[in-house]
Amino acid sequence: MTIIRLPNILSAVSEIQSRVHDAEKEVTQASEEWFSSYNLIPPAKWDDFVKERFGLCAAMSWPQGGKDSLRTGSDWLILLFKYDDLLDEASSNLMRDERGATKASKIFISAIADTENFQPVPYLPIATACHDFMTRFRAMSPPNVAKRFVDSITSYAIAASKQTGFRERNLRPSVEEYVALRRETGAVMTCMPFIENSLGIDLPDSVLQHPIIEKLHTAANDIVCWGNDITSFNREQAAGDHFNLVAVVALEKGLPVQVALEYVYLMFQSAVSRFENAKFQIPTLDPENHEIVSKYVEGLGFLCSGLTRWYFETDRYFGPNLREVKETMKLHLLPLEKCASRPFQTLTYTVIEY
């Protein structure tokens, strides 16, 4: 059986501040009860859903604010990951159906962007859940924050549909193409408005569009996405999905997977360094804005470090082997799922001794 070793991304983010919101357990229970009311998870799979620990993910990502903002963040992460699963799981009809994914994305966007005119879709109850969530999100968000959230979701949904097109046509993106698309499909930008809500702030567009803030956004985005690609690689290759930075690097550069993992880890470390360096270049603003920008940047740190640490606190990526993987950073390569389509290109797994 093939064994691969994961780079220790936890050590790479050890210098970025992290903590867990005190209301994690209370919010987790409320979010899970809310989501269960839509009957989107079969009873036989409910325990597996609970073990994914999305409430903890929210509490690690946004530890700064009150319970209400944390609750909306927790609800959003559930919706985001479950929608993403509709497009990524081998058992899903949408994994390689760009037309179907595009239709789903239009409904998804409509439920978020046009809450007043939304009409429930019988075969897509997740859209109704999105509409309920968004109604509450708008009620607590300044108009600018709500608009940024909607814009980021639109970009994510369009990019996610494009990703299914690559799969449907058996196309392998270049590393450059993949990086550009992954910064949208990762949906990290949809998480940033929750930082503002948790802090009770509404940053001017001029601040968010400042080159240094944009550098911080890109670096934080890359930390989350490259870390996710490292930890989710095994799960995704088992689903016959090579739309992952590790696989893309391996195929483009002719590398065995173990070497590609180390290559991606260098990209991850570079993103951490870019984030840390940009923190010391925060623009000098008037005193009021400078204070809230500093808090926002702190929130970005919580977001990218919290998500990175959560990858090793959830069963989503390593299942019952979570504790062992966290301790050893080694895992057994999963076999191709029975319902998965065999990828059109083959990865190699030369094992490297440590």
Side-chain angles (χ1 to χ4, degrees), residues 154-164 180-182 184-185 243:
T154 302
S155 296
Y156 155 72
I158 292 172
S161 298
K162 185 176 180 179
Q163 176 177 290
T164 63
L181 191 59
R182 185 69 169 106
E184 299 293 347
T185 63
F243 209 87

Side-chain angles (χ1 to χ4, degrees), residues 271-288:
V272 173
S273 295
R274 285 187 281 120
F275 184 83
E276 290 292 275
N277 290 336
K279 284 198 316 187
F280 296 105
Q281 303 173 42
I282 297 173
T284 301
L285 305 166
D286 59 86
E288 181 180 358

Side-chain angles (χ1 to χ4, degrees), residues 10-30:
L10 292 176
S11 65
V13 297
S14 61
E15 298 300 315
I16 303 179
Q17 187 177 4
S18 67
R19 68 171 187 256
V20 180
H21 199 291
D22 292 339
E24 180 259 321
K25 291 183 179 179
E26 180 181 348
V27 165
T28 294
Q29 181 178 352

Side-chain angles (χ1 to χ4, degrees), residues 132-163:
D132 174 73
F133 151 78
M134 191 61 191
T135 300
R136 289 181 284 117
F137 180 84
R138 283 190 185 278
M140 68 166 51
S141 306
N144 286 339
V145 175
K147 182 182 184 302
R148 285 194 285 270
F149 181 62
V150 170
D151 289 346
S152 65
I153 288 174
T154 302
S155 296
Y156 155 72
I158 292 172
S161 298
K162 185 176 180 179
Q163 176 177 290

Side-chain angles (χ1 to χ4, degrees), residues 112-324:
I112 297 290
D114 190 9
T115 50
E116 292 185 1
N117 297 312
F118 172 75
Q119 296 294 325
V121 181
Y123 61 86
L124 203 62
I126 194 170
T128 303
C130 286
H131 174 260
D132 174 73
F133 151 78
M134 191 61 191
T135 300
R136 289 181 284 117
F137 180 84
R138 283 190 185 278
M140 68 166 51
S141 306
N144 286 339
V145 175
K147 182 182 184 302
R148 285 194 285 270
F149 181 62
V150 170
D151 289 346
S152 65
I153 288 174
T154 302
S155 296
Y156 155 72
I158 292 172
S161 298
K162 185 176 180 179
Q163 176 177 290
T164 63
F166 273 92
R167 295 192 190 112
E168 183 179 13
R169 293 187 289 276
N170 285 331
L171 298 176
R172 174 180 59 80
S174 66
V175 171
E176 183 179 2
E177 288 174 322
Y178 179 86
V179 167
L181 191 59
R182 185 69 169 106
R183 285 171 176 163
E184 299 293 347
T185 63
V188 181
M189 295 304 293
T190 72
C191 296
M192 293 180 184
F194 291 92
I195 300 174
E196 291 182 83
N197 276 356
S198 70
L199 294 171
I201 62 176
D202 179 5
L203 289 173
D205 288 341
S206 60
V207 170
L208 292 173
Q209 293 167 5
H210 191 283
I212 299 301
I213 302 300
E214 290 185 340
K215 284 183 180 180
L216 283 162
H217 282 165
T218 300
N221 197 341
D222 290 351
I223 291 169
V224 175
C225 289
W226 307 159
N228 182 265
D229 280 13
I230 288 171
T231 53
S232 67
F233 168 76
N234 199 23
R235 165 189 166 118
E236 291 175 358
Q237 66 79 27
D241 186 10
H242 285 175
F243 209 87
N244 176 295
L245 184 57
V246 176
V248 172
V249 165
L251 292 169
E252 180 176 293
K253 300 184 179 299
L255 301 174
V257 164
Q258 188 62 63
V259 179
L261 278 163
E262 298 301 330
Y263 188 102
V264 175
Y265 181 53
L266 292 177
M267 295 176 65
F268 180 87
Q269 289 178 307
S270 173
V272 173
S273 295
R274 285 187 281 120
F275 184 83
E276 290 292 275
N277 290 336
K279 284 198 316 187
F280 296 105
Q281 303 173 42
I282 297 173
T284 301
L285 305 166
D286 59 86
E288 181 180 358
N289 273 341
H290 186 72
E291 181 179 354
I292 64 174
V293 168
S294 297
K295 290 180 178 179
Y296 179 76
V297 170
E298 182 184 43
L300 286 174
F302 283 131
L303 178 67
C304 59
S305 68
L307 282 165
T308 301
R309 289 173 169 84
W310 173 74
Y311 299 149
F312 294 91
E313 301 294 335
T314 171
D315 278 13
R316 181 175 177 84
Y317 304 107
F318 309 119
N321 300 317
L322 171 62
R323 184 182 296 275
E324 179 185 351

